[in-house]
Amino acid sequence: YAKQGKSEMFVFYNSTLENRVFPYARLESDLRKAIQHKNFTLVYQPRVNSTGKLIGAEALIRWNHPERGFISPDLFIPFAEEAGIIYQIDCFVQEEVFKQVRHWEVSGYQVVPISINYSANTIKNPNLVPSLEKLISRYSINPRLIEVELTETSLLTFTEATLDTLSKMKKLGLSISLDDFGKGYSSLSYLHKFKDIISILKIDKSFIQNIVENTDLVNSIIYLAKQLNMAVVAEGIETEEQYKCIQTTLCDALQGYYFSKPLKVSEFTKWLGRR
Ligand code: C2E
Ligand code: MG
Ligand code: MG
Ligand code: MG
């Protein structure tokens, strides 16, 4: 898609000509309707250790537009951020994850930690921590089963107040991870500043896709993370060659199409063991 300047239209390049343009206003009202009717689903992408055993998963939102079909979160999440409606979306996602974890638990599955993506704006919302407290008690979930993913770029916008929110989340027992590390422009001093709060660093897929040429670079990131007591996740492993290469490193967890694409609940449940 592309933002077409002043005309306030989205252009979908992979659609037929007459279907290409879509007004912003329409997208916004459709998104609001989708929020109201909870018209989203979640998919879960397995995260494995270096031997391929399931050790976690990432929850990712999907929106199936009634006329447009699938719209990528890479399009509508930034749009929802700008429209000021991302908090409702992230809240929908967290509620779904808590419900699902509870459901797996009562059905006798051995649940692995599930991570949820949060936009910077969501973290800044003063209602977030109270809403998490409510979800933890309502669904009686061990908070260690929930991970919070923040992007590196969102760190740049954080204030003392957001740092305080993150420490509260950590005190609740949630783990905080830094997503897409290396993709943005945050400096090492940022990483240092957040070192007591962030316990997991996810290396951006752009590094992993070139890992064979970039092994030294990836090893340096892993070394740095370990120095700061962080666990390391590699995102975007697609080939056997990349997998072989990452196995020579001290990376703790791996994610990517090579192991599995994000799966609908029924498919992902097959990955879970029984208690
Ligand atoms: P992300 O959090 O970095 O998620 C990883 C993205 O990489 C996902 O795209 C996933 O499907 C994709 N991916 C996984 N393995 C591979 C691989 O081997 N190769 C390649 N090329 N891609 C792979 P997806 O689901 O389209 O999500 C895109 C982004 O949208 C996410 O990036 C995240 O920033 C955002 N997002 C998704 N769900 C949510 C949500 O519930 N809330 C918020 N705030 N953001 C979300
Ligand atoms: Mg993520
Ligand atoms: Mg990522
Ligand atoms: Mg991303």
Side-chain angles (χ1 to χ4, degrees):
Y1 82 99
K3 281 183 185 176
Q4 225 189 20
K6 291 198 177 64
S7 68
E8 303 200 316
M9 294 284 191
F10 271 102
V11 181
F12 291 82
Y13 284 114
N14 58 356
S15 310
T16 57
L17 205 56
E18 63 276 22
N19 279 327
R20 268 186 192 170
V21 284
F22 199 60
Y24 281 159
R26 178 73 200 285
L27 190 63
E28 183 173 340
S29 69
D30 288 356
L31 207 44
R32 285 183 190 275
K33 265 182 239 152
I35 292 171
Q36 206 186 338
H37 299 109
K38 305 190 180 210
N39 261 336
F40 302 100
T41 51
L42 296 190
V43 287
Y44 293 85
Q45 186 176 37
R47 185 177 299 154
V48 300
N49 69 8
S50 66
T51 66
K53 180 182 175 271
L54 183 77
I55 53 169
E58 177 172 8
L60 295 156
I61 195 167
R62 293 293 177 259
W63 182 26
N64 212 0
H65 189 280
E67 291 138 46
R68 290 277 152 176
F70 173 75
I71 300 181
S72 166
D74 274 330
L75 186 158
F76 75 82
I77 294 289
F79 184 84
E81 285 170 349
E82 272 181 52
I85 50 178
I86 189 65
Y87 182 70
Q88 286 93 312
I89 295 179
D90 287 348
C91 280
F92 165 82
V93 174
Q94 65 176 17
E95 171 111 39
E96 283 298 299
V97 169
F98 274 84
K99 257 191 229 164
Q100 187 61 60
V101 167
R102 178 73 191 157
H103 185 75
W104 280 321
E105 289 200 321
V106 299
S107 313
Y109 289 100
Q110 205 168 348
V111 189
V112 289
I114 307 290
S115 66
I116 304 173
N117 293 280
Y118 288 88
S119 289
N121 287 339
T122 302
I123 303 289
K124 287 175 184 158
N125 193 306
N127 300 319
L128 181 65
V129 172
S131 80
L132 280 163
E133 283 167 342
K134 266 183 225 142
L135 289 174
I136 291 168
S137 71
R138 187 187 313 149
Y139 294 104
S140 41
I141 299 295
N142 179 351
R144 312 238 164 258
L145 288 174
I146 307 290
E147 284 176 18
V148 171
E149 293 198 9
L150 315 167
T151 63
E152 192 191 4
T153 20
S154 68
L155 284 193
L156 296 171
T157 71
F158 284 175
T159 61
E160 287 304 316
T162 27
L163 259 166
D164 188 54
T165 302
L166 293 176
S167 338
K168 284 190 182 131
M169 291 167 88
K170 197 186 149 111
K171 279 202 197 95
L172 285 177
L174 310 172
S175 345
I176 316 278
S177 79
L178 185 57
D179 201 0
D180 300 348
F181 182 77
K183 187 182 171 190
Y185 299 94
S186 72
S187 69
L188 295 181
S189 65
Y190 266 88
L191 201 56
H192 200 259
K193 183 173 170 189
F194 288 91
K195 73 174 186 328
D196 296 329
I197 287 178
I198 294 166
S199 54
I200 303 157
L201 190 137
K202 299 186 77 176
I203 305 176
D204 190 62
K205 49 181 174 281
S206 57
F207 292 99
I208 306 305
Q209 271 146 21
N210 298 313
I211 188 169
V212 180
E213 303 83 63
N214 281 344
T215 318
D216 290 350
L217 182 59
V218 171
N219 271 321
S220 320
I221 298 175
I222 296 172
Y223 181 76
L224 174 70
K226 299 279 163 181
Q227 289 291 309
L228 299 173
N229 272 322
M230 297 175 186
V232 185
V233 182
E235 296 193 275
I237 297 160
E238 293 179 353
T239 68
E240 171 100 44
E241 198 187 22
Q242 289 162 355
Y243 177 40
K244 289 258 159 66
C245 191
I246 204 81
Q247 276 181 315
T248 68
T249 72
L250 293 173
C251 206
D252 305 282
L254 318 173
Q255 221 181 302
Y257 298 159
Y258 179 72
F259 307 103
S260 172
K261 64 179 195 313
L263 302 170
K264 55 181 191 184
V265 176
S266 59
E267 289 301 309
F268 177 70
T269 303
K270 295 179 188 161
W271 280 67
L272 296 174
R274 288 281 181 171
R275 263 201 319 258

